[in-house]
Amino acid sequence: MEDATACVTNESVTDFTGYFIPIVYMVVFLLDIIGNGLVLYVLAAKRDPWLLADHYLFQLALSDLLLGFTLPFWAFQYSSHWIIGDIPCKILGALFTINVYSTIFFLVCISINRYFSIVHAIELHKKQRPLHTFFICLFIWVLSCTLSWQEFYFRESTGSICTYNFPLGQSTFWRVALQLVEITIGFIIPLVFMVFSYSRIFCTLQRSRHNHSRRSQLVIIVLLLVFVFCWAPYKVVQLIDSLQRLEMISRDCNFEKNLDVGIIVTEALGLSHVCINPIVYAFVGIKFRREIFKIVKRLSNQAFYSATVTSREGTIFTESNCSYSKIM
């Protein structure tokens, strides 16, 4: 019944998708590689022992990087068609979903870690050790993999696209169920944790007399606003789509066309979070910028030393040639 009453895909939506997604996804991909690649390099080159927050930041950058690696494949699909078969379709779909979840979960971990570091500074170092952090990260990856089960079960390469292929008559049930799970576990619950953690941190900093507390409060506001600005529009559109599929909102083909465009645009906005994360979670930090300066200084010193050695070798070689020519 649902298939019979489905609206025909509008050509204007298809045309819009064909040029919007490839451009935006490739831009996000390039910025993602640069930003998160630099974060991973800085953390890997760091000579001091890692703090607990460094472990979460590393996992966040890794997750964002893996998510970015899938974007060129989706961009090519929408600009042309899917050409690499069924198994890569399932693997890339799973990789995409795993890292969408893990990215958000690691953001929650960072907020909770900061909450304990600032609000309960004394208890943190007594209760949480690197081994605990390892098991927390492992749990997040396992949970994210579990939440991507539908990619292996439903996603198929059908003709020229890689998409979900639900059983006949069950499309509405599964689409709504998956969207509601994504909205709840992938946005509402993480947002509650982040709001609680950062609000408590904000109150603690407000009582502090340190000069840097106001700057820290501003950073907290920016962190929350960026997360909400990037992901809330997509989740709202997903909720509207689910309500329409459940016939709680009247069905209208023109409205569905606008909804399809809204899903495309807001999902791209949500994915842009992977290139904003390095800026708001790493580059704004004084310690992280200090590590970058150390690496730059170290590399410049190495380059200067190498150039000096090369110059000396060249001088010796020239002098030996001159003396040799005199003997001849």
Side-chain angles (χ1 to χ4, degrees), residues 66-122:
L66 292 174
L67 177 59
F69 281 142
T70 68
L71 297 182
F73 295 95
W74 308 121
F76 184 81
Q77 170 182 267
Y78 286 103
S79 63
S80 179
H81 59 278
W82 190 263
I83 59 172
I84 55 177
D86 197 48
I87 294 178
C89 168
K90 293 178 181 292
I91 293 174
L92 288 169
L95 194 62
F96 181 89
T97 304
I98 288 169
N99 289 288
V100 165
Y101 277 115
S102 61
T103 291
I104 295 173
F105 293 157
F106 283 121
L107 293 178
V108 174
C109 286
I110 291 173
S111 69
I112 294 175
N113 179 76
R114 288 177 174 177
Y115 165 75
F116 281 112
S117 298
I118 297 173
V119 180
H120 302 287
I122 298 175

Short mmCIF file of all heavy atoms in Angstrom, two decimals, residues 66-122:
data_model
loop_
_atom_site.label_atom_id
_atom_site.label_comp_id
_atom_site.label_asym_id
_atom_site.label_seq_id
_atom_site.Cartn_x
_atom_site.Cartn_y
_atom_site.Cartn_z
N LEU A 66 37.88 8.79 9.62
CA LEU A 66 37.29 7.61 8.98
C LEU A 66 35.95 7.95 8.33
O LEU A 66 35.63 7.45 7.24
CB LEU A 66 37.11 6.49 10.00
CG LEU A 66 38.40 5.86 10.53
CD1 LEU A 66 38.09 4.87 11.65
CD2 LEU A 66 39.17 5.17 9.41
N LEU A 67 35.17 8.79 9.00
CA LEU A 67 33.90 9.23 8.41
C LEU A 67 34.15 10.01 7.14
O LEU A 67 33.46 9.83 6.13
CB LEU A 67 33.14 10.09 9.42
CG LEU A 67 31.81 10.71 8.95
CD1 LEU A 67 30.83 9.64 8.50
CD2 LEU A 67 31.20 11.56 10.05
N GLY A 68 35.15 10.88 7.15
CA GLY A 68 35.48 11.68 5.97
C GLY A 68 35.92 10.83 4.79
O GLY A 68 35.64 11.17 3.64
N PHE A 69 36.59 9.70 5.06
CA PHE A 69 37.07 8.84 3.98
C PHE A 69 35.93 8.23 3.17
O PHE A 69 36.12 7.84 2.01
CB PHE A 69 37.95 7.71 4.55
CG PHE A 69 39.35 8.14 4.86
CD1 PHE A 69 40.01 7.64 5.98
CD2 PHE A 69 40.02 9.04 4.05
CE1 PHE A 69 41.29 8.04 6.28
CE2 PHE A 69 41.31 9.44 4.34
CZ PHE A 69 41.95 8.95 5.46
N THR A 70 34.74 8.13 3.76
CA THR A 70 33.61 7.56 3.03
C THR A 70 32.93 8.57 2.10
O THR A 70 32.21 8.19 1.17
CB THR A 70 32.54 7.01 4.00
OG1 THR A 70 31.92 8.10 4.70
CG2 THR A 70 33.15 6.06 5.00
N LEU A 71 33.13 9.87 2.34
CA LEU A 71 32.39 10.91 1.62
C LEU A 71 32.66 10.94 0.12
O LEU A 71 31.72 11.14 -0.66
CB LEU A 71 32.67 12.28 2.25
CG LEU A 71 32.23 12.45 3.70
CD1 LEU A 71 32.52 13.87 4.19
CD2 LEU A 71 30.74 12.13 3.86
N PRO A 72 33.91 10.75 -0.36
CA PRO A 72 34.11 10.75 -1.81
C PRO A 72 33.30 9.68 -2.54
O PRO A 72 32.88 9.89 -3.68
CB PRO A 72 35.62 10.50 -1.96
CG PRO A 72 36.21 11.01 -0.69
CD PRO A 72 35.19 10.69 0.36
N PHE A 73 33.09 8.54 -1.89
CA PHE A 73 32.32 7.47 -2.52
C PHE A 73 30.85 7.87 -2.69
O PHE A 73 30.25 7.62 -3.75
CB PHE A 73 32.41 6.18 -1.69
CG PHE A 73 33.79 5.61 -1.63
CD1 PHE A 73 34.64 5.90 -0.56
CD2 PHE A 73 34.26 4.79 -2.64
CE1 PHE A 73 35.92 5.37 -0.50
CE2 PHE A 73 35.54 4.24 -2.59
CZ PHE A 73 36.37 4.54 -1.51
N TRP A 74 30.28 8.50 -1.65
CA TRP A 74 28.89 8.97 -1.76
C TRP A 74 28.80 10.12 -2.75
O TRP A 74 27.82 10.23 -3.50
CB TRP A 74 28.36 9.41 -0.40
CG TRP A 74 28.53 8.38 0.68
CD1 TRP A 74 29.20 8.52 1.85
CD2 TRP A 74 28.01 7.04 0.69
NE1 TRP A 74 29.14 7.37 2.58
CE2 TRP A 74 28.42 6.44 1.90
CE3 TRP A 74 27.24 6.29 -0.20
CZ2 TRP A 74 28.09 5.13 2.24
CZ3 TRP A 74 26.91 4.98 0.13
CH2 TRP A 74 27.32 4.42 1.33
N ALA A 75 29.81 10.97 -2.77
CA ALA A 75 29.83 12.08 -3.73
C ALA A 75 29.83 11.56 -5.16
O ALA A 75 29.10 12.08 -6.02
CB ALA A 75 31.05 12.96 -3.48
N PHE A 76 30.63 10.54 -5.42
CA PHE A 76 30.68 9.97 -6.78
C PHE A 76 29.36 9.30 -7.14
O PHE A 76 28.92 9.37 -8.29
CB PHE A 76 31.83 8.96 -6.89
CG PHE A 76 32.00 8.41 -8.28
CD1 PHE A 76 32.68 9.13 -9.24
CD2 PHE A 76 31.46 7.18 -8.63
CE1 PHE A 76 32.83 8.63 -10.53
CE2 PHE A 76 31.60 6.67 -9.91
CZ PHE A 76 32.29 7.40 -10.86
N GLN A 77 28.72 8.65 -6.17
CA GLN A 77 27.44 8.01 -6.45
C GLN A 77 26.41 9.02 -6.93
O GLN A 77 25.69 8.77 -7.91
CB GLN A 77 26.91 7.31 -5.19
CG GLN A 77 25.46 6.83 -5.35
CD GLN A 77 24.90 6.18 -4.10
OE1 GLN A 77 24.99 4.97 -3.96
NE2 GLN A 77 24.35 6.96 -3.19
N TYR A 78 26.33 10.18 -6.25
CA TYR A 78 25.31 11.16 -6.61
C TYR A 78 25.68 11.94 -7.87
O TYR A 78 24.80 12.45 -8.56
CB TYR A 78 25.07 12.12 -5.44
CG TYR A 78 24.28 11.47 -4.32
CD1 TYR A 78 24.91 11.03 -3.16
CD2 TYR A 78 22.91 11.28 -4.43
CE1 TYR A 78 24.19 10.43 -2.14
CE2 TYR A 78 22.17 10.68 -3.43
CZ TYR A 78 22.82 10.26 -2.28
OH TYR A 78 22.11 9.65 -1.28
N SER A 79 26.96 12.04 -8.18
CA SER A 79 27.36 12.73 -9.41
C SER A 79 27.29 11.81 -10.62
O SER A 79 27.09 12.25 -11.74
CB SER A 79 28.79 13.28 -9.28
OG SER A 79 29.71 12.20 -9.12
N SER A 80 27.42 10.50 -10.38
CA SER A 80 27.35 9.53 -11.48
C SER A 80 26.47 8.35 -11.06
O SER A 80 25.26 8.43 -11.13
CB SER A 80 28.77 9.07 -11.84
OG SER A 80 28.73 8.12 -12.88
N HIS A 81 27.10 7.27 -10.59
CA HIS A 81 26.35 6.12 -10.08
C HIS A 81 27.30 5.23 -9.28
O HIS A 81 28.51 5.39 -9.32
CB HIS A 81 25.70 5.32 -11.23
CG HIS A 81 26.69 4.80 -12.22
ND1 HIS A 81 27.19 5.59 -13.24
CD2 HIS A 81 27.27 3.59 -12.37
CE1 HIS A 81 28.03 4.88 -13.97
NE2 HIS A 81 28.11 3.67 -13.46
N TRP A 82 26.73 4.29 -8.54
CA TRP A 82 27.52 3.38 -7.71
C TRP A 82 28.12 2.29 -8.60
O TRP A 82 27.39 1.61 -9.32
CB TRP A 82 26.66 2.76 -6.63
CG TRP A 82 27.44 1.99 -5.61
CD1 TRP A 82 27.66 0.66 -5.57
CD2 TRP A 82 28.11 2.54 -4.46
NE1 TRP A 82 28.43 0.32 -4.48
CE2 TRP A 82 28.72 1.46 -3.78
CE3 TRP A 82 28.25 3.83 -3.95
CZ2 TRP A 82 29.46 1.64 -2.61
CZ3 TRP A 82 28.98 4.00 -2.79
CH2 TRP A 82 29.58 2.92 -2.13
N ILE A 83 29.44 2.11 -8.52
CA ILE A 83 30.08 1.20 -9.47
C ILE A 83 30.93 0.11 -8.80
O ILE A 83 31.48 -0.74 -9.50
CB ILE A 83 31.00 1.98 -10.45
CG1 ILE A 83 32.07 2.75 -9.67
CG2 ILE A 83 30.18 2.92 -11.31
CD1 ILE A 83 33.12 3.39 -10.56
N ILE A 84 31.02 0.12 -7.46
CA ILE A 84 31.98 -0.80 -6.83
C ILE A 84 31.33 -1.99 -6.13
O ILE A 84 31.97 -2.67 -5.33
CB ILE A 84 32.89 -0.04 -5.84
CG1 ILE A 84 32.08 0.72 -4.79
CG2 ILE A 84 33.82 0.90 -6.58
CD1 ILE A 84 32.94 1.41 -3.75
N GLY A 85 30.07 -2.25 -6.41
CA GLY A 85 29.47 -3.50 -5.97
C GLY A 85 28.78 -3.48 -4.62
O GLY A 85 28.70 -2.45 -3.94
N ASP A 86 28.28 -4.66 -4.22
CA ASP A 86 27.42 -4.80 -3.06
C ASP A 86 28.19 -4.81 -1.74
O ASP A 86 27.79 -4.15 -0.78
CB ASP A 86 26.59 -6.08 -3.20
CG ASP A 86 25.39 -6.09 -2.27
OD1 ASP A 86 24.67 -5.08 -2.24
OD2 ASP A 86 25.18 -7.10 -1.57
N ILE A 87 29.28 -5.55 -1.68
CA ILE A 87 30.04 -5.67 -0.43
C ILE A 87 30.65 -4.33 -0.02
O ILE A 87 30.51 -3.92 1.15
CB ILE A 87 31.13 -6.77 -0.54
CG1 ILE A 87 30.45 -8.14 -0.70
CG2 ILE A 87 32.04 -6.76 0.68
CD1 ILE A 87 31.41 -9.30 -0.86
N PRO A 88 31.33 -3.60 -0.94
CA PRO A 88 31.80 -2.25 -0.55
C PRO A 88 30.67 -1.32 -0.14
O PRO A 88 30.85 -0.46 0.72
CB PRO A 88 32.49 -1.75 -1.83
CG PRO A 88 32.89 -2.98 -2.55
CD PRO A 88 31.80 -3.96 -2.28
N CYS A 89 29.50 -1.51 -0.73
CA CYS A 89 28.32 -0.72 -0.37
C CYS A 89 27.98 -0.92 1.10
O CYS A 89 27.75 0.04 1.84
CB CYS A 89 27.15 -1.10 -1.27
SG CYS A 89 25.54 -0.45 -0.75
N LYS A 90 27.97 -2.17 1.54
CA LYS A 90 27.65 -2.47 2.94
C LYS A 90 28.75 -1.98 3.87
O LYS A 90 28.49 -1.41 4.94
CB LYS A 90 27.47 -3.98 3.11
CG LYS A 90 26.24 -4.56 2.40
CD LYS A 90 26.17 -6.06 2.59
CE LYS A 90 24.97 -6.66 1.88
NZ LYS A 90 23.69 -6.26 2.48
N ILE A 91 30.01 -2.19 3.48
CA ILE A 91 31.14 -1.81 4.33
C ILE A 91 31.20 -0.30 4.50
O ILE A 91 31.36 0.21 5.62
CB ILE A 91 32.46 -2.35 3.74
CG1 ILE A 91 32.48 -3.88 3.82
CG2 ILE A 91 33.66 -1.75 4.48
CD1 ILE A 91 33.68 -4.51 3.15
N LEU A 92 31.07 0.45 3.40
CA LEU A 92 31.13 1.91 3.48
C LEU A 92 29.92 2.48 4.22
O LEU A 92 30.04 3.46 4.95
CB LEU A 92 31.22 2.50 2.07
CG LEU A 92 32.57 2.30 1.37
CD1 LEU A 92 32.47 2.66 -0.10
CD2 LEU A 92 33.64 3.14 2.05
N GLY A 93 28.75 1.84 4.03
CA GLY A 93 27.58 2.26 4.79
C GLY A 93 27.78 2.06 6.27
O GLY A 93 27.43 2.93 7.09
N ALA A 94 28.36 0.91 6.64
CA ALA A 94 28.62 0.63 8.06
C ALA A 94 29.68 1.59 8.61
O ALA A 94 29.54 2.11 9.72
CB ALA A 94 29.08 -0.81 8.22
N LEU A 95 30.73 1.83 7.82
CA LEU A 95 31.79 2.74 8.26
C LEU A 95 31.24 4.15 8.49
O LEU A 95 31.62 4.83 9.45
CB LEU A 95 32.90 2.77 7.20
CG LEU A 95 34.23 3.40 7.61
CD1 LEU A 95 34.86 2.64 8.77
CD2 LEU A 95 35.19 3.44 6.42
N PHE A 96 30.34 4.57 7.62
CA PHE A 96 29.71 5.87 7.75
C PHE A 96 28.90 5.95 9.05
O PHE A 96 29.07 6.87 9.85
CB PHE A 96 28.81 6.13 6.54
CG PHE A 96 28.12 7.46 6.55
CD1 PHE A 96 28.72 8.58 5.99
CD2 PHE A 96 26.85 7.60 7.10
CE1 PHE A 96 28.08 9.82 5.99
CE2 PHE A 96 26.20 8.82 7.10
CZ PHE A 96 26.82 9.93 6.54
N THR A 97 28.03 4.98 9.26
CA THR A 97 27.16 4.99 10.44
C THR A 97 27.94 4.84 11.74
O THR A 97 27.66 5.53 12.74
CB THR A 97 26.11 3.86 10.33
OG1 THR A 97 25.39 4.00 9.11
CG2 THR A 97 25.14 3.90 11.49
N ILE A 98 28.93 3.93 11.74
CA ILE A 98 29.76 3.72 12.93
C ILE A 98 30.40 5.02 13.38
O ILE A 98 30.38 5.38 14.57
CB ILE A 98 30.84 2.66 12.65
CG1 ILE A 98 30.21 1.27 12.56
CG2 ILE A 98 31.92 2.68 13.74
CD1 ILE A 98 31.16 0.20 12.02
N ASN A 99 30.95 5.74 12.43
CA ASN A 99 31.71 6.94 12.80
C ASN A 99 30.82 8.15 13.05
O ASN A 99 31.24 9.09 13.75
CB ASN A 99 32.75 7.23 11.73
CG ASN A 99 33.87 6.21 11.74
OD1 ASN A 99 34.70 6.20 12.63
ND2 ASN A 99 33.88 5.33 10.76
N VAL A 100 29.60 8.16 12.52
CA VAL A 100 28.65 9.21 12.91
C VAL A 100 28.31 9.06 14.38
O VAL A 100 28.32 10.04 15.15
CB VAL A 100 27.36 9.14 12.05
CG1 VAL A 100 26.26 9.97 12.68
CG2 VAL A 100 27.63 9.64 10.64
N TYR A 101 28.04 7.82 14.81
CA TYR A 101 27.74 7.58 16.22
C TYR A 101 28.96 7.80 17.11
O TYR A 101 28.87 8.47 18.15
CB TYR A 101 27.22 6.16 16.41
CG TYR A 101 25.75 5.97 16.13
CD1 TYR A 101 25.31 5.17 15.07
CD2 TYR A 101 24.79 6.57 16.94
CE1 TYR A 101 23.96 5.00 14.81
CE2 TYR A 101 23.43 6.40 16.69
CZ TYR A 101 23.02 5.61 15.63
OH TYR A 101 21.68 5.45 15.37
N SER A 102 30.09 7.23 16.72
CA SER A 102 31.28 7.31 17.58
C SER A 102 31.75 8.74 17.75
O SER A 102 32.21 9.13 18.83
CB SER A 102 32.41 6.44 17.02
OG SER A 102 32.79 6.87 15.73
N THR A 103 31.64 9.55 16.69
CA THR A 103 32.02 10.96 16.80
C THR A 103 31.21 11.67 17.88
O THR A 103 31.77 12.37 18.73
CB THR A 103 31.80 11.68 15.45
OG1 THR A 103 32.75 11.19 14.49
CG2 THR A 103 31.97 13.18 15.58
N ILE A 104 29.91 11.46 17.88
CA ILE A 104 29.04 12.10 18.87
C ILE A 104 29.30 11.55 20.27
O ILE A 104 29.34 12.29 21.25
CB ILE A 104 27.56 11.92 18.48
CG1 ILE A 104 27.28 12.67 17.16
CG2 ILE A 104 26.63 12.40 19.58
CD1 ILE A 104 25.91 12.44 16.59
N PHE A 105 29.54 10.24 20.37
CA PHE A 105 29.80 9.64 21.68
C PHE A 105 31.12 10.14 22.27
O PHE A 105 31.22 10.35 23.49
CB PHE A 105 29.84 8.11 21.57
CG PHE A 105 28.50 7.50 21.22
CD1 PHE A 105 28.43 6.25 20.62
CD2 PHE A 105 27.31 8.18 21.47
CE1 PHE A 105 27.20 5.68 20.30
CE2 PHE A 105 26.08 7.62 21.15
CZ PHE A 105 26.03 6.37 20.56
N PHE A 106 32.13 10.34 21.43
CA PHE A 106 33.41 10.85 21.94
C PHE A 106 33.30 12.32 22.35
O PHE A 106 34.01 12.77 23.25
CB PHE A 106 34.53 10.65 20.92
CG PHE A 106 35.03 9.23 20.86
CD1 PHE A 106 34.98 8.50 19.68
CD2 PHE A 106 35.55 8.63 21.99
CE1 PHE A 106 35.43 7.19 19.63
CE2 PHE A 106 36.00 7.30 21.95
CZ PHE A 106 35.94 6.59 20.77
N LEU A 107 32.41 13.06 21.70
CA LEU A 107 32.14 14.42 22.15
C LEU A 107 31.56 14.41 23.57
O LEU A 107 31.89 15.27 24.40
CB LEU A 107 31.16 15.12 21.20
CG LEU A 107 31.66 15.42 19.78
CD1 LEU A 107 30.55 16.06 18.96
CD2 LEU A 107 32.87 16.32 19.80
N VAL A 108 30.70 13.43 23.84
CA VAL A 108 30.13 13.28 25.18
C VAL A 108 31.23 12.93 26.18
O VAL A 108 31.27 13.48 27.29
CB VAL A 108 29.02 12.21 25.18
CG1 VAL A 108 28.54 11.95 26.61
CG2 VAL A 108 27.87 12.62 24.30
N CYS A 109 32.13 12.04 25.78
CA CYS A 109 33.23 11.65 26.66
C CYS A 109 34.10 12.84 27.02
O CYS A 109 34.53 13.00 28.17
CB CYS A 109 34.09 10.57 26.00
SG CYS A 109 33.33 8.96 25.96
N ILE A 110 34.38 13.69 26.03
CA ILE A 110 35.19 14.88 26.28
C ILE A 110 34.48 15.81 27.26
O ILE A 110 35.10 16.37 28.17
CB ILE A 110 35.50 15.61 24.95
CG1 ILE A 110 36.46 14.77 24.11
CG2 ILE A 110 36.08 16.99 25.20
CD1 ILE A 110 36.69 15.32 22.72
N SER A 111 33.16 15.98 27.09
CA SER A 111 32.41 16.86 28.00
C SER A 111 32.40 16.30 29.41
O SER A 111 32.57 17.04 30.39
CB SER A 111 30.99 17.05 27.48
OG SER A 111 30.23 15.86 27.59
N ILE A 112 32.23 14.98 29.56
CA ILE A 112 32.22 14.36 30.90
C ILE A 112 33.60 14.43 31.52
O ILE A 112 33.75 14.68 32.73
CB ILE A 112 31.72 12.91 30.81
CG1 ILE A 112 30.25 12.87 30.37
CG2 ILE A 112 31.90 12.19 32.14
CD1 ILE A 112 29.71 11.48 30.13
N ASN A 113 34.64 14.20 30.70
CA ASN A 113 36.01 14.29 31.22
C ASN A 113 36.32 15.70 31.72
O ASN A 113 36.92 15.88 32.79
CB ASN A 113 37.00 13.91 30.11
CG ASN A 113 38.43 14.00 30.58
OD1 ASN A 113 38.93 13.14 31.31
ND2 ASN A 113 39.12 15.05 30.15
N ARG A 114 35.86 16.71 30.98
CA ARG A 114 36.07 18.09 31.42
C ARG A 114 35.25 18.39 32.68
O ARG A 114 35.70 19.15 33.54
CB ARG A 114 35.68 19.05 30.30
CG ARG A 114 36.67 19.05 29.15
CD ARG A 114 36.23 19.95 28.02
NE ARG A 114 37.26 20.04 26.99
CZ ARG A 114 37.12 20.72 25.86
NH1 ARG A 114 36.00 21.37 25.62
NH2 ARG A 114 38.11 20.75 24.98
N TYR A 115 34.08 17.79 32.77
CA TYR A 115 33.25 17.98 33.96
C TYR A 115 33.97 17.47 35.21
O TYR A 115 34.06 18.17 36.22
CB TYR A 115 31.92 17.23 33.76
CG TYR A 115 31.13 17.03 35.03
CD1 TYR A 115 30.42 18.07 35.61
CD2 TYR A 115 31.08 15.77 35.63
CE1 TYR A 115 29.69 17.89 36.77
CE2 TYR A 115 30.35 15.57 36.79
CZ TYR A 115 29.66 16.63 37.36
OH TYR A 115 28.94 16.44 38.52
N PHE A 116 34.54 16.25 35.12
CA PHE A 116 35.26 15.70 36.27
C PHE A 116 36.55 16.48 36.54
O PHE A 116 36.93 16.67 37.70
CB PHE A 116 35.58 14.23 36.04
CG PHE A 116 34.43 13.31 36.30
CD1 PHE A 116 33.83 12.61 35.26
CD2 PHE A 116 33.93 13.14 37.58
CE1 PHE A 116 32.76 11.78 35.50
CE2 PHE A 116 32.86 12.29 37.83
CZ PHE A 116 32.27 11.61 36.79
N SER A 117 37.22 16.93 35.48
CA SER A 117 38.48 17.65 35.64
C SER A 117 38.29 18.99 36.34
O SER A 117 39.15 19.42 37.12
CB SER A 117 39.14 17.88 34.27
OG SER A 117 39.44 16.66 33.65
N ILE A 118 37.19 19.66 36.05
CA ILE A 118 36.98 21.01 36.58
C ILE A 118 36.08 21.01 37.82
O ILE A 118 36.40 21.65 38.83
CB ILE A 118 36.37 21.92 35.49
CG1 ILE A 118 37.37 22.06 34.33
CG2 ILE A 118 36.01 23.30 36.05
CD1 ILE A 118 36.82 22.79 33.12
N VAL A 119 34.98 20.29 37.76
CA VAL A 119 34.03 20.31 38.89
C VAL A 119 34.48 19.38 40.02
O VAL A 119 34.32 19.70 41.19
CB VAL A 119 32.61 19.91 38.40
CG1 VAL A 119 31.63 19.94 39.56
CG2 VAL A 119 32.15 20.85 37.29
N HIS A 120 35.06 18.22 39.65
CA HIS A 120 35.53 17.26 40.65
C HIS A 120 36.99 16.94 40.39
O HIS A 120 37.35 15.77 40.15
CB HIS A 120 34.69 15.98 40.61
CG HIS A 120 33.23 16.20 40.84
ND1 HIS A 120 32.70 16.52 42.07
CD2 HIS A 120 32.18 16.17 39.98
CE1 HIS A 120 31.38 16.66 41.97
NE2 HIS A 120 31.03 16.47 40.71
N ALA A 121 37.83 17.94 40.43
CA ALA A 121 39.24 17.80 40.04
C ALA A 121 39.98 16.78 40.89
O ALA A 121 40.81 16.03 40.40
CB ALA A 121 39.94 19.15 40.11
N ILE A 122 39.70 16.73 42.17
CA ILE A 122 40.44 15.84 43.08
C ILE A 122 40.11 14.38 42.81
O ILE A 122 40.97 13.52 42.74
CB ILE A 122 40.13 16.19 44.54
CG1 ILE A 122 40.58 17.63 44.83
CG2 ILE A 122 40.82 15.22 45.49
CD1 ILE A 122 40.22 18.13 46.22
#
